[in-house]
Amino acid sequence: MSVGWLQKSLLSALVFLIWIGPVLASSNSTIIVGSKNFLENRLLAEMFAQLIEAHTTLTVERRLGLAGTQICFQALTTGGIDLYPEYTGTGLVTILREPAMRDPSAVLNRVRSEFRKRWNLWWLAPLGFDNSYALALRRDRAHAFNIRTITDLVRVAPKLKAGFGYEFIQRADGLPGLKQLYGLQFHDVVGMQQSLKYQATENGDVDVLDVYTTDGRLAVYDFVVLEDDRQFFPPYDATALVRGAMLKRHPELGQVLSLLTNALSPKRMRELNLRIQEQGEAIPQVAYDALHTLHLVKEDHPSSTATIKESTSFLSYMWKRRATLMVRTGEHLGLAGTGLLLGIMLAIPLAFILERWRTGAETMIRFIGMSQTIPSMALLAFMIPLFGVGALPAIMALWIYSLYPIVRNTFSGLRDAAPTVVETGRALGMTEWQILRSVRLPLAAPTIMAGIRTAAIWTVGTATLAAFIGAGGLGVPIVSGLQLADVNIILSGALPATILALIVDGLLGWVERLVRPRGLEASQ
Amino acid sequence: MTNTWDLEAWQLSKRFPDGTYALQNIDWSVKPGETMALIGESGSGKTTLLRLLNRLAEPSSGEVFIQGHPATKQDPITLRRRLGYVPQDGGLFPHWTIRHNVCLVPQLLEWPIDQQHDRFNTLLPLVNLDPTQIADRYPIELSGGQRQRVAVARALAADPPIVLFDEPFSALDPLTRHELHEQFLALKTTLHKTMVVITHDMAEAFHLGDRITVLKDGRIHQMGTTQELIDTPATPYVTSLIQHHLAQIH
């Protein structure tokens, strides 16, 4: 079957490409910089990356936009990334799960000693600004209710609707802690994307929002930031959190990053953030400018010039980004393809074995079916402690997902394949192996292919989420677009992903028709 | 004594998992070259007896002899390739051409391709089919009667001395069935094979069989020629069968 060989070699090539990345990354002279999935964090990470590239011979690999504190932290402890920008208060309350303290030095010392002791992770010197959570309102509403502090807010809160970020709603140093300390109770709390909250508050869709104190948009929107009069929020000094092993192996890393000690003020951060948020400038460019202003990089240092946010037509945007999109599509196919291939290699033999020894087969298949009930995002997250971040955990999760439809269909296909015909073959003197190869397998082939086709669609679709754990793929523009609230960017990932799914479905539908034996009715 | 029979059963029994008997202490025999019709209702054990002959099932007790040798001492695969078999709906492989279907056993026996093709071309006219017309067709393209004839050709392909038929014509309409009866009788005269034909139709049993075995609830009620059954029915059940049959013809 020449088609089968072609597919196999294409897939092998893709697998190789996907694997060569991590293999290269694990070589000694590569540093992996990670970030959370909000803009300032990405900006800081990009500044770290460019600084390292400019002042050392190390290669930097970026795994930006990981879905939250816990994922970043786990990636760090497992070596999936080597450093990322973190805030002292977050380290204290969210990671160490200790109660907040008020003194910035105390917080820094505490996290420094604990992180070094427990995980060999080092907090470098603070960058010079504190980016705290705060609550804010439209100025006219704040005046109408005469609110200046959070205690004032408590009075009025039962009448108000709040739009908060997802992490804020869950973190101990977020909403739950606020409730406990202040007795804060809202009429309604809605979870929202960071980029949408400002607009929603401006429109009056929500009354209160959580903000970062270095958020650029605070300068643009007429909001009042409430005073934390009972000092609930701990200090959040920003700095780099680095793996001790990496610092030891490359001492220049620590020296270079310390160039940023106290280099960034809150005002400066707000300006930089504003450029990205409102003016749509590309993060690498803004990072470069920031470093350049600090005289930390030379004039001729290469930087990306593509502006992310432009009010151009969708098609011209896609055309401009075509190189990146091709790479993303290739990554996406590699992830989905590898996951599917592994699924086929495990599921089909397994189904054969189960069909042969029927006892407990149904139970086993149902057990495998349980994997389908796990939400995809959760499954991806489960893989991180085992496999780090990047392509590997994504492929593992996709592998698990692809098993059930293939096992189920292969099992049923074999079991139900024309039993009278099978019996006749036996009666005429065919061995069980001959019957399997010449009768049961060809008759079951269409059903088996249908299972593979289903699994293929699922893996292509689920692979979009792989972006959240740094695996690349067409989910990356979707995630970026969500953060910037830019429909063009979102579509530049979503549209190819959909088209890809349709192509894969069509292609496998053609294969399904190919493997259908001649002489069988189409409905069989 | 065993040499004079092609097929024999000695005190053959087959029990279901729940303990009841599909066949109980059967003593049975078929002469070489004779056609034995096996008649009975569903559940009478006739299909079980057939399956014990080609070792699709194993006896609980007793023995089956094929051409004088105990069936259990022979390799089941080799044994089955020496016995022709025609199931109820023909059992043709739907994904194989007619030629491929008919040549199944010769292919299993590793006959040279030319020999297989020659055999195919010789066999099909025997069942009134044109080999050039249907060799590369698929079973789905043929009528029920044609499929059944192909199934018979397939059973005869390796020229087995014994052929087993499991209700071969019951799925066909009366006209086609009549036509196939005629062809069956023609084959009988030409080929001189030992044949066992299961049927639930008394008329068919009388028409096709040299001798008839009447089965009920796992036991043989009578084994004999048409005349013997009509003149001297051994049990009331046989009597009722004959009366019912005679009433139908008149």
Side-chain angles (χ1 to χ4, degrees), chain A residues 421 423 426 429 438 521, chain B residues 51 80-81 93 95 138 140:
Chain A
V421 170
E423 173 106 313
R426 207 172 278 139
S438 311
E521 284 170 352
Chain B
R51 291 168 57 103
R80 289 173 197 152
R81 291 179 188 173
F93 295 175
H95 60 304
Y138 287 87
I140 193 77

Side-chain angles (χ1 to χ4, degrees), chain A residues 4 20 24 47 50 69 71 114 138 181 210 213 230 238 247 257 293 335 374 410 413 424 448:
Chain A
I20 206 71
L24 286 179
M47 287 173 69
Q50 289 185 15
T69 303
I71 293 195
E114 283 304 297
R138 251 168 53 187
L181 181 62
D210 66 305
T213 50
R230 292 175 77 168
L247 284 174
L257 289 172
T293 314
L335 292 169
I374 305 175
T410 307
T424 307
I448 297 176

Side-chain angles (χ1 to χ4, degrees), chain A residues 84-142:
Chain A
Y84 77 98
E86 188 52 286
Y87 307 85
T88 53
T90 306
L92 182 70
V93 182
T94 306
I95 300 178
L96 290 178
R97 295 188 201 280
E98 291 180 8
M101 296 189 280
R102 289 172 193 172
D103 177 29
S105 316
V107 175
L108 180 60
N109 289 336
R110 180 70 185 154
V111 296
R112 271 212 165 125
S113 62
E114 283 304 297
F115 275 59
R116 192 180 304 177
K117 193 168 57 175
R118 290 198 213 177
W119 301 294
N120 195 19
L121 297 175
W122 293 49
W123 291 76
L124 301 189
L127 300 172
F129 67 96
D130 165 86
N131 182 9
S132 175
Y133 276 126
L135 296 182
L137 292 146
R138 251 168 53 187
R139 189 176 295 277
D140 54 344
R141 309 219 75 205

Side-chain angles (χ1 to χ4, degrees), chain A residues 11 14 25 42 44 137 140 168 208 211 236 332 344 395 410 426 430 461:
Chain A
L11 281 167
L14 280 167
R42 283 187 184 242
L44 293 174
L137 292 146
D140 54 344
F168 184 78
V208 185
V211 298
Y236 294 93
H332 202 97
I344 293 174
I395 291 175
T410 307
R426 207 172 278 139
M430 293 175 85

Side-chain angles (χ1 to χ4, degrees), chain B residues 1 8-15 21 23-29 49 52 59-65 218-220:
Chain B
M1 173 166 131
E8 265 193 283
W10 280 8
Q11 287 290 294
L12 187 63
S13 294
K14 176 71 180 167
R15 297 180 80 157
Y21 282 93
L23 287 176
Q24 203 164 6
N25 298 113
I26 301 291
D27 287 315
W28 184 69
S29 50
L49 180 53
L52 286 167
S60 307
S61 63
E63 187 66 77
V64 170
F65 292 86
R219 288 185 194 275
I220 296 183

Side-chain angles (χ1 to χ4, degrees), chain A residues 421-490:
Chain A
V421 170
V422 170
E423 173 106 313
T424 307
R426 207 172 278 139
L428 288 167
M430 293 175 85
T431 62
E432 286 308 311
W433 168 243
Q434 286 167 332
I435 294 176
L436 181 66
R437 208 189 58 204
S438 311
V439 180
R440 302 174 72 203
L441 208 47
L443 291 180
T447 311
I448 297 176
M449 253 334 281
I452 294 178
R453 199 171 155 191
T454 307
I457 303 303
W458 287 2
T459 48
V460 170
T462 310
T464 0
L465 292 172
F468 281 113
I469 60 170
L474 290 166
V476 173
I478 296 177
V479 172
S480 310
L482 281 171
Q483 286 164 17
L484 292 167
D486 186 325
V487 173
N488 274 359
I489 305 179
I490 297 175

Side-chain angles (χ1 to χ4, degrees), chain B residues 28-174:
Chain B
W28 184 69
S29 50
V30 181
K31 295 191 199 103
E34 98 173 314
T35 301
M36 173 68 90
L38 268 183
I39 186 154
E41 301 158 1
S42 42
S44 57
K46 54 193 199 294
T47 308
T48 311
L49 180 53
L50 206 74
R51 291 168 57 103
L52 286 167
L53 293 176
N54 64 7
R55 293 195 68 183
L56 286 179
E58 300 292 341
S60 307
S61 63
E63 187 66 77
V64 170
F65 292 86
I66 313 287
Q67 291 186 317
H69 301 289
T72 42
K73 296 266 192 315
Q74 300 177 49
D75 168 48
I77 304 289
T78 328
L79 174 64
R80 289 173 197 152
R81 291 179 188 173
R82 274 178 30 222
L83 297 173
Y85 179 75
V86 182
Q88 188 161 351
D89 57 352
L92 298 180
F93 295 175
H95 60 304
W96 282 8
T97 60
I98 300 300
R99 190 207 310 273
H100 198 179
N101 263 293
V102 171
C103 296
L104 171 62
V105 186
Q107 187 190 350
L108 292 175
L109 294 172
E110 294 173 358
W111 286 16
I113 301 284
D114 307 331
Q115 203 182 344
Q116 290 183 33
H117 283 344
D118 286 341
R119 184 76 182 139
F120 177 75
N121 291 332
T122 334
L123 263 180
L124 253 60
L126 286 185
V127 290
N128 252 21
L129 290 170
D130 182 354
T132 54
Q133 286 269 15
I134 61 170
D136 296 311
R137 295 260 182 91
Y138 287 87
I140 193 77
E141 302 176 69
L142 269 52
S143 70
Q146 287 173 314
R147 283 202 287 270
Q148 212 57 11
R149 280 181 269 169
V150 172
V152 174
R154 177 175 64 176
L156 297 171
D159 203 20
I162 302 167
V163 187
L164 309 173
F165 294 79
D166 187 350
E167 301 206 40
F169 310 126
S170 61
L172 302 168
D173 63 273

